Amino acid sequence: MTAVEDPGLAFLAALVGGYLIGSIPFGLILTQAAGLGDIRAIGSGNIGATNVLRTGRKGLAAATLLLDGLKGALSVLLLRWLAGDQDLVAGTAAVLGHTFPVWLGFRGGKGVATGLGVYLAAMWPVGLGCCAVWLAAAKLTRRSSAAALTAVAAAPLLALLLVDGEHALLALLVGVLIFWRHEGNIRRLLAGTEPRIGEKG
């Protein structure tokens, strides 16, 4: 039994609920609460944990990473209880909300932490696999964006091998959003100008 029995309403609840949860801009909220001003005026202007780290406040960056991941997981878990088997819709909507939040003029983060939270809640073996890939790529490249893109690219294959085709589609949809938001990072990686982890830029 789920709280929403009608399939159409369940889909709508997953879509809207996932988007609204995902659109909470924790990076902006935390940096403003800490008296650092608007994170969008710092570094890359992004509201995610990597840019928060450029303020020099590692604790705030860690908190942003954790909360952005938790909102992705919460979107999947809460809406699974509320609307049934809507992992694909709720998870994709959460990343969409993070990357294009209505509250910030549709200019949000890049979706990596939120996407990882979605992976961990919807298909935990894939989430753990992505964490391992991210750590290995980060150690090798020393660039957060390269590590994130490598992990995201691995997610659909991991989902296909470890879970099923439906969850592989979820990973693919989330991955497309994340790659889209990393267009500038991809250009800088190809040009060799992407900042290393912890560098300002």
Side-chain angles (χ1 to χ4, degrees):
M1 291 288 290
T2 59
V4 180
E5 294 294 329
D6 181 84
L9 287 178
F11 175 87
L12 185 62
L15 182 64
V16 175
Y19 176 86
L20 291 177
I21 294 171
S23 68
I24 302 170
F26 284 116
L28 178 62
I29 293 170
L30 291 176
T31 50
Q32 287 186 333
L36 298 176
D38 192 333
I39 187 63
R40 294 171 295 179
I42 299 171
S44 66
N46 191 266
I47 63 170
T50 298
N51 199 43
V52 174
L53 183 61
R54 294 188 178 108
T55 67
R57 301 286 291 274
K58 294 182 180 180
L60 281 181
T64 300
L65 181 69
L66 178 62
L67 289 170
D68 281 348
L70 282 175
K71 71 184 182 184
L74 178 64
S75 298
V76 171
L77 298 176
L78 177 61
L79 289 158
R80 179 184 292 163
W81 168 79
L82 180 67
D85 188 15
Q86 295 286 348
D87 290 358
L88 190 154
V89 176
T92 305
V95 178
L96 187 66
H98 178 78
T99 54
F100 300 103
V102 63
W103 331 112
L104 303 181
F106 302 102
R107 297 178 63 183
K110 296 183 179 177
V112 177
T114 303
L116 181 58
V118 168
Y119 293 159
L120 286 168
M123 40 184 175
W124 65 266
V126 175
L128 292 180
C130 287
C131 288
V133 171
W134 190 96
L135 288 171
K139 185 174 182 179
L140 180 65
T141 67
R142 303 299 301 166
R143 288 173 172 82
S144 178
S145 58
L149 292 171
T150 303
V152 166
L157 179 59
L158 289 172
L160 194 59
L161 292 174
L162 301 176
V163 192
D164 56 35
E166 180 177 323
H167 286 78
L169 178 59
L170 165 64
L172 180 61
L173 290 173
V174 169
V176 167
L177 282 171
I178 292 173
F179 265 78
W180 183 11
R181 291 293 287 123
H182 278 78
E183 179 186 358
N185 301 86
I186 293 170
R187 290 178 180 175
R188 289 191 295 273
L189 285 168
L190 293 174
T193 58
E194 180 76 343
R196 294 179 181 271
I197 295 173
E199 287 181 353
K200 295 183 178 180

